[in-house]
Amino acid sequence: MIAEPKKRKFFTPEQANAMLPLVESIVKDISRFAHALRDRHARLERLNQGGVGKGLITQGQLEEEQAALESDSERLQECVEELTGLGVEMKDLSMGLVDFPGLKDGREICLCWKLGEPRLEWWHETNTGFAGRKPLSEVRDQKSEIRSSL
């Protein structure tokens, strides 16, 4: 039996803000894993370039470091999948940038939030990304509406 494609979720700003405590917790983990992986990868690169031969690390220690890198990478992927399962899109691992899909005047947009921001207060067109962020207050001032599919 072929599985039905999962229906895309669209959020209102209020729905996205209500989810922020959970999303923030997941994004903090993702950001932490991303930074740790970058550091571990850089360290492994240095050690792979003669660390065992110079006695800086044993082959067993090098293998343990590589296994830890793989484990952290899997944990990072699990966190991203958890976020995706909520209908939220991870855009930048290190920065902790996510988009909640939304609908504005019948077209798809992105409700944009970044780790450290107290609330979701930004949106952008799907083709402009973070650089094209605009305040949600602008939408309210235009008497425009952002709808959900929930």
Side-chain angles (χ1 to χ4, degrees):
M1 179 187 257
I2 298 174
E4 291 286 322
K6 193 171 184 180
K7 187 177 178 193
R8 187 164 170 86
K9 294 179 185 175
F10 294 100
F11 299 86
T12 65
E14 295 77 19
Q15 290 166 331
N17 274 312
M19 287 182 62
L20 270 188
L22 174 59
V23 169
E24 181 177 27
S25 175
I26 297 168
V27 171
K28 279 181 181 178
D29 287 344
I30 289 171
S31 183
R32 185 171 37 85
F33 283 130
H35 288 286
L37 280 168
R38 186 184 63 234
D39 294 346
R40 189 182 299 274
H41 185 11
R43 186 170 56 251
L44 273 170
E45 285 292 314
R46 289 190 304 275
L47 292 172
N48 274 323
Q49 296 174 356
V52 173
K54 294 177 184 172
L56 300 175
I57 190 170
T58 67
Q59 185 63 37
Q61 290 170 321
L62 184 60
E63 289 169 3
E64 286 178 21
E65 282 288 318
Q66 289 170 332
L69 176 76
E70 290 173 18
S71 175
D72 284 352
S73 181
E74 289 172 9
R75 290 169 58 201
L76 172 67
Q77 186 59 39
E78 289 169 2
C79 289
V80 171
E81 288 171 5
E82 183 178 5
L83 204 57
T84 302
L86 296 172
V88 181
E89 301 170 1
M90 190 79 227
K91 294 299 182 176
D92 185 298
L93 299 174
S94 297
M95 204 163 116
L97 182 64
V98 299
D99 285 342
F100 293 79
L103 294 171
K104 179 182 180 289
D105 301 328
R107 71 182 190 285
E108 188 173 335
I109 62 160
C110 299
L111 301 172
C112 186
W113 177 80
K114 183 176 78 165
L115 189 61
E117 293 177 342
R119 294 183 44 77
L120 184 144
E121 296 182 358
W122 300 91
W123 74 280
H124 59 81
E125 300 289 347
T126 58
N127 63 343
T128 62
F130 183 78
R133 287 193 342 160
K134 299 174 187 172
L136 281 172
S137 59
E138 190 178 281
V139 173
R140 292 181 193 104
D141 293 346
Q142 296 171 354
K143 304 273 191 277
S144 199
E145 181 183 34
I146 297 177
R147 296 186 4 217
S148 77
S149 64
L150 302 176

